Amino acid sequence: TLPEPPPVLGTFRPDPADPMAAGLRATAFAAFTLPFNVTGQPAISLPMHWTADGLPVGVQLVAPYDGEDLLLRAAAELEAARPWADQRPPVHA
């Protein structure tokens, strides 16, 4: 779903010397999901792969308006074929 693997914590921390940088970086980071968040078109992100570090890599599916049922059915079939409920990424809090 993202254009690159999930970043480490603090990646989007504002820099007092360049306060806009974090916001611009975050906007670019959400480039694939942003259009559907803005238009309200149904979309779903599913964790279909994991990096060597154990971080999820998502795929985004998009349906026509009023197509939520299609997305939920597709998600259920994909989860049955490649279960992800027990996948846990490492936590570095």
Side-chain angles (χ1 to χ4, degrees):
T1 304
L2 302 173
E4 60 188 77
V8 298
L9 291 175
T11 298
F12 300 117
R13 182 177 298 130
D15 179 358
D18 188 4
M20 294 296 293
L24 293 173
R25 169 90 168 100
T27 300
F29 201 73
F32 300 138
T33 57
L34 185 66
F36 307 107
N37 290 339
V38 171
T39 64
Q41 191 171 345
I44 192 168
S45 175
L46 306 172
M48 298 304 299
H49 179 73
W50 285 263
T51 66
D53 295 333
L55 296 174
V57 176
V59 62
Q60 182 179 26
L61 305 178
V62 180
Y65 289 105
D66 295 325
E68 290 87 353
D69 60 325
L70 175 63
L71 287 176
L72 292 173
R73 286 196 310 268
E77 291 205 20
L78 287 167
E79 185 177 15
R82 190 172 175 93
W84 60 72
D86 293 330
Q87 294 282 350
R88 298 284 187 266
V91 176
H92 301 284

